[in-house]
Amino acid sequence: MAKALYIAEKPSVAQEFAKALKINGQRRDGYLESEDSVVTWCVGHLVTMSYPEKYDMKYKRWSFDTLPFLPREFKYEVIPGVSKQFKIVKELLNRADIDTIYVCTDSGREGEYIYRLVAQMAGVKNKKQKRVWIDSQTEDEILRGIREAKDLSSYDNLASSAYLRAKEDYLMGINFSRVLTLRYGNSVSGYLGTKYQAISVGRVMTCVLGMVVRREREIRSFVKTPFYRVLSKIILEGKQFEGEWRAVEGSRYFQSPLLYKENGFKKKEDAETLVSLLKKTQSLSCTVERIERKKENKNPPLLFNLAELQNVCAKLFKISPDETLRVVQELYEKKLVTYPRTDAHVLSTAVAKEIYKNISGLRNYPQAGEAAGKILETGAYKNIEKTRYVNDKQITDHYAIIPTGQGLGTLNSLSLLSQRVYETIVRRFLCIFYPPAVYQKVNLVTNMQNERFFSSFRVLLEEGYLSIATNSFAGKKASDGEKGTGEEQETACDASLLEALQKLKKNDILQVDALSIKEGETSPPKRYNSGSMILAMENAGQLIEDEELRAQIKGAGIGTSATRAEILKKLFYIKYLSLNKKTQVITPTLLGEMIFDVVNCSIRQLLNPELTASWEKGLNYVAEGSITEQEYMDKLERFVRLRTRQVEESNYQYALRQFFDAAASNYPGKAADAKRGGKRNDKRLHN
């Protein structure tokens, strides 16, 4: 009797498939089997790309003579630590009684790559191969995925882009790391007084290093500029509020060189001069020149993709992106949430039609059961397809991360952190079925001797989605980090002041209690934290100055949702970047800055978001079928060949010394060590 083989990425996922398929067969070594089905698993990657020495032993020694390394055919090998499971999987893939293989690895580029390598190494032939593509591990979704499984060939373009991504990282990593180490490794180790220093670079991680180092240097070179604002204290029916002076058209200071910006002076004495002019009248008063009243709606935020969830978790829980990914992956495997490695903020139309099922399951969730019940009772979910939260065009592989409404029985067995991340996801999801928050806004312009003062007020009239946005553990702090955001420039306004403002009309005269000068100063750029870094990587296209190129690669990021956390983790591990675990703030190390300077002198393109994001966009084009695998490979090889030769022919050792000195001056202890090491190794530095 012919059997079907189901191959998952992990043992835990294989268990879920076995349960959904009602496979109560015998547990064997590395697989489960029943009368008509077999379920097996990988353990992540079973196969990897071979090191250069597997092509020829001459490549083991790093030498200019063997660069660039551009093999015609790439070699792969089984990872030694998992060879036993590979052997089991290989035998099953080729077993005579198995006629159909269901590929159940994670539904994405990396999951596709994991299976394709296994099938390639196992030599799978003459088998029907079908791809199961699912968004959660609930029983219904697994059975739907199996029922609607497409022929594996439908995903050939995705597989091609997966192979190319690996080849690109491999070729850039090997060639550029070797050539830079050979040319400048001695310069770095000589300066630091160490025996040896490999220079590790990569398509994505070097760009991230560049973003952090540039930001740090911007902060260092930033000079605080003081400025002076003039404020009026206005009395209205016994209440006080402030007006901020601005040098708008009609002001005696309009476009004056004395201004820092239109609302402040460069020098305090100029602000004092204005105050003196305005105080010349015996009693201070102002006239209402303009008053605007309007209601403003604030819509619920879009749903979580992985990058946004990592950013919010860094703020709320001070955890790193890889820790967030670990937690949400666990929630996914416990059937609590949908597939986590997604870039989408929206739902698909198909999911939106069945969304009541997810909401229904949440009625049994204590922290939000009442809200879920209210949504079902009012039918608030019924028109969700017509909103901005549903958009098929904005989804590539998977829709946003949302709760499945299932698996709640396992929630209490999870860590407190996992439970809180789950609640954060649930609340963001339920918010989209609530109305917007409604604010009353009042903008007031008052006139004193043709000088205008501006006041803004904002009062929350209807909570809308904000009524459920706050996590149960967060006190007054909104779970999505939005409540209170952007309101700092608006005057707090109670009901009685709002009522008085509503009565105001043009030309009304108000008493001014006092005029004051408030000193401020410009702020330096903020350092990245682990969450904002992930968002910056996702939105790398926005960092590109060239408008045409920015438009061309709109939506392209650095790395993917599946890899960004690992890239950061590697940069911390090799000590190019440092992470403050308490605050999650990222800073460069001296070594990281030195590597930046080496790359900046030799292969500057590696530091730029333009290059990295455009390569990522190219991989997407391959996945879409817009360009061929060969076209992409030809471009890649040309780039590697040209840049490798460029480094071989470069000679920046002497110039680098001044850059190293400048960087080391910011690391006092390290600078002294480097100085001693530099003197000991001065000859070596310039070899």
Side-chain angles (χ1 to χ4, degrees):
M1 177 184 173
K3 294 188 176 186
L5 172 67
Y6 299 84
I7 176 167
E9 194 166 312
K10 295 178 181 174
S12 58
V13 181
Q15 282 291 141
E16 296 306 325
F17 272 82
K19 281 183 200 170
L21 291 161
K22 306 290 188 284
I23 295 175
N24 300 314
Q26 200 171 354
R27 174 78 185 242
R28 318 243 174 158
D29 191 9
Y31 65 100
L32 296 158
E33 185 165 5
S34 67
E35 288 182 10
D36 57 359
S37 303
V38 180
V39 178
T40 190
W41 53 85
C42 305
V43 278
H45 282 272
L46 296 178
V47 178
T48 189
M49 299 180 84
S50 298
Y51 283 109
E53 55 264 33
K54 292 295 173 76
Y55 293 79
D56 192 315
M57 277 308 293
K58 71 180 182 181
Y59 293 117
K60 187 163 187 177
R61 181 175 171 273
W62 290 24
S63 164
F64 287 126
D65 297 337
T66 54
L67 293 174
F69 173 65
L70 296 166
R72 289 298 93 208
E73 294 287 330
F74 285 83
K75 292 189 176 185
Y76 299 86
E77 59 191 68
V78 176
I79 298 168
V82 291
S83 57
K84 181 186 174 187
Q85 186 61 18
F86 173 78
K87 190 179 176 186
I88 291 165
V89 172
K90 179 181 177 181
E91 287 174 1
L92 292 171
L93 288 169
N94 291 297
R95 226 169 74 174
D97 63 335
I98 286 172
D99 67 348
T100 304
I101 298 165
Y102 285 91
V103 181
C104 311
T105 49
D106 277 3
S107 306
R109 189 167 72 186
E110 198 64 15
E112 194 68 23
Y113 186 55
I114 284 171
Y115 173 73
R116 297 284 182 140
L117 286 180
V118 170
Q120 176 184 315
M121 287 296 285
V124 177
K125 289 175 185 171
N126 304 320
K127 303 278 184 182
K128 194 186 295 180
Q129 297 180 79
K130 306 196 99 179
R131 185 54 158 114
V132 177
W133 199 270
I134 58 175
D135 286 296
S136 73
Q137 289 185 23
T138 62
E139 187 172 311
D140 287 350
E141 180 68 358
I142 286 171
L143 294 175
R144 181 205 60 75
I146 292 168
R147 195 168 56 247
E148 298 175 10
K150 296 178 184 176
D151 193 88
L152 187 64
S153 61
S154 302
Y155 297 87
D156 282 351
N157 287 336
L158 180 66
S160 294
S161 84
Y163 272 97
L164 283 171
R165 195 274 309 156
K167 288 173 183 176
E168 179 175 71
D169 288 346
Y170 179 85
L171 292 178
M172 285 194 188
I174 284 172
N175 285 290
F176 297 157
S177 295
R178 289 190 175 198
V179 76
L180 286 169
T181 301
L182 288 165
R183 179 56 70 205
Y184 297 111
N186 281 347
S187 297
V188 176
S189 60
Y191 190 85
L192 293 172
T194 56
K195 287 184 179 178
Y196 174 78
Q197 182 62 57
I199 295 176
S200 183
V201 296
R203 174 180 64 99
V204 179
M205 75 173 195
T206 304
C207 182
V208 173
L209 174 67
M211 290 166 70
V212 176
V213 172
R214 284 195 188 102
R215 177 63 57 87
E216 192 67 22
R217 292 182 178 182
E218 282 172 23
I219 292 167
R220 281 180 202 147
S221 62
F222 182 83
V223 179
K224 287 183 179 178
T225 305
F227 57 90
Y228 302 88
R229 295 160 59 218
V230 176
L231 303 174
S232 62
K233 192 178 284 183
I234 303 169
I235 308 295
L236 175 62
E237 293 188 9
K239 297 279 184 179
Q240 285 188 352
F241 62 89
E242 283 184 345
E244 180 188 62
W245 172 80
R246 294 180 199 165
V248 294
E249 195 168 353
S251 165
R252 50 175 67 78
Y253 290 98
F254 181 58
Q255 295 183 340
S256 166
L258 301 175
L259 298 172
Y260 168 68
K261 284 183 178 175
E262 71 164 11
N263 66 334
F265 291 95
K266 294 174 186 174
K267 294 180 180 178
K268 188 174 184 179
E269 48 263 42
D270 294 317
E272 289 169 340
T273 301
L274 172 61
V275 170
S276 298
L277 285 167
L278 295 174
K279 280 184 174 178
K280 279 185 176 176
T281 54
Q282 282 187 340
S283 62
L284 289 178
S285 63
C286 62
T287 306
V288 175
E289 186 171 285
R290 190 169 74 245
I291 185 161
E292 293 175 354
R293 303 176 185 90
K294 62 178 179 179
K295 285 187 178 177
E296 181 185 75
N297 288 350
K298 182 180 178 184
N299 290 313
L302 291 169
L303 295 161
F304 282 124
N305 67 359
L306 181 58
E308 174 65 9
L309 181 62
Q310 287 168 320
N311 181 44
V312 166
C313 288
K315 288 178 187 173
L316 286 180
F317 312 118
K318 303 301 180 195
I319 59 174
S320 63
D322 65 297
E323 177 69 359
T324 299
L325 180 55
R326 183 197 65 75
V327 169
V328 74
Q329 180 71 25
E330 177 187 43
L331 295 174
Y332 169 66
E333 290 174 11
K334 297 291 184 185
K335 305 184 187 180
L336 285 156
V337 303
T338 56
Y339 188 71
R341 292 173 173 86
T342 175
D343 290 319
H345 285 283
V346 294
L347 301 174
S348 66
T349 306
V351 168
K353 286 176 180 172
E354 302 284 313
I355 206 67
Y356 68 90
K357 293 178 181 176
N358 303 60
I359 303 166
S360 297
L362 292 173
R363 283 182 299 185
N364 299 317
Y365 178 51
Q367 280 79 356
E370 190 180 331
K374 184 180 174 184
I375 291 164
L376 291 168
E377 283 168 31
T378 59
Y381 63 90
K382 289 180 180 175
N383 293 316
I384 198 70
E385 292 168 56
K386 296 173 183 175
T387 68
R388 68 184 187 132
Y389 305 102
V390 178
N391 190 333
D392 292 334
K393 290 177 183 175
Q394 291 177 11
I395 299 169
T396 48
D397 295 340
H398 297 277
Y399 54 82
I401 303 169
I402 61 170
T404 61
Q406 299 185 34
L408 290 169
T410 64
L411 194 57
N412 287 336
S413 66
L414 301 181
S415 69
L416 184 61
L417 174 63
S418 296
Q419 292 178 42
R420 288 180 168 182
V421 172
Y422 178 71
E423 183 181 339
T424 305
I425 294 168
V426 168
R427 289 188 182 278
R428 176 68 71 100
F429 169 65
L430 292 179
C431 279
I432 73 170
F433 304 102
Y434 269 67
V438 181
Y439 292 90
Q440 176 69 55
K441 287 199 76 173
V442 179
N443 293 319
L444 177 66
V445 182
T446 53
N447 188 324
M448 290 183 74
Q449 300 177 41
N450 286 326
E451 297 296 340
R452 274 79 177 182
F453 289 78
F454 293 76
S455 308
S456 291
F457 308 85
R458 190 186 197 213
V459 184
L460 181 62
L461 297 180
E462 297 170 28
E463 277 197 306
Y465 81 91
L466 291 175
S467 64
I468 61 155
T470 306
N471 278 325
S472 61
F473 56 84
K476 293 182 180 178
K477 189 175 180 181
S479 63
D480 61 14
E482 291 212 353
K483 199 171 182 181
T485 308
E487 295 168 27
E488 293 76 16
Q489 300 305 313
E490 290 160 339
T491 304
C493 186
D494 59 23
S496 58
L497 178 55
L498 179 64
E499 191 180 337
L501 286 165
Q502 299 286 31
K503 296 176 193 170
L504 269 185
K505 55 187 184 298
K506 191 176 177 182
N507 297 324
D508 280 355
I509 295 172
L510 302 175
Q511 181 190 344
V512 176
D513 187 50
L515 291 169
S516 61
I517 296 168
K518 190 167 184 179
E519 184 178 346
E521 60 182 20
T522 54
S523 302
K526 285 186 177 179
R527 288 186 175 93
Y528 291 107
N529 61 40
S530 61
S532 64
M533 186 76 244
I534 291 285
L535 284 185
M537 291 167 76
E538 182 186 50
N539 299 305
Q542 294 175 10
L543 302 173
I544 295 166
E545 290 180 15
D546 184 279
E547 192 175 333
E548 193 175 328
L549 180 59
R550 186 168 65 242
Q552 186 184 340
I553 67 167
K554 189 180 178 184
I558 300 174
T560 66
S561 56
T563 61
R564 289 176 191 128
E566 280 302 313
I567 289 155
L568 274 181
K569 199 174 174 183
K570 182 175 181 182
L571 284 163
F572 301 140
Y573 177 75
I574 62 176
K575 295 184 169 52
Y576 287 6
L577 297 181
S578 178
L579 176 71
N580 183 319
K581 290 187 178 177
K582 225 174 190 180
T583 62
Q584 291 295 306
V585 168
I586 298 170
T587 50
T589 62
L590 173 57
L591 175 60
E593 290 204 48
M594 291 169 70
I595 300 301
F596 171 90
D597 288 323
V598 168
V599 177
N600 198 39
C601 284
S602 51
I603 319 178
R604 185 169 295 175
Q605 297 90 335
L606 282 180
L607 295 164
N608 294 334
E610 290 98 323
L611 176 76
T612 309
S614 61
W615 283 114
E616 198 65 52
K617 194 74 170 177
L619 291 173
N620 291 340
Y621 285 148
V622 173
E624 294 163 6
S626 305
I627 63 172
T628 67
E629 190 175 355
Q630 193 56 52
E631 284 174 311
Y632 191 93
M633 200 65 196
D634 288 345
K635 180 186 173 188
L636 173 61
E637 288 190 352
R638 275 197 306 274
F639 180 79
V640 171
R641 192 176 284 111
L642 180 66
R643 301 303 167 203
T644 304
R645 191 184 313 124
Q646 185 179 303
V647 177
E648 283 182 20
E649 294 170 357
S650 69
N651 187 13
Y652 295 110
Q653 281 86 344
Y654 287 94
L656 282 169
R657 182 61 187 252
Q658 62 181 327
F659 295 127
F660 292 173
D661 284 343
S665 66
N666 298 287
Y667 303 85
K670 298 273 186 185
D673 293 343
K675 202 170 183 181
R676 286 194 294 273
K679 285 178 180 176
R680 286 197 305 269
N681 297 282
D682 212 37
K683 286 183 181 177
R684 183 180 168 196
L685 177 66
H686 303 306
N687 283 340

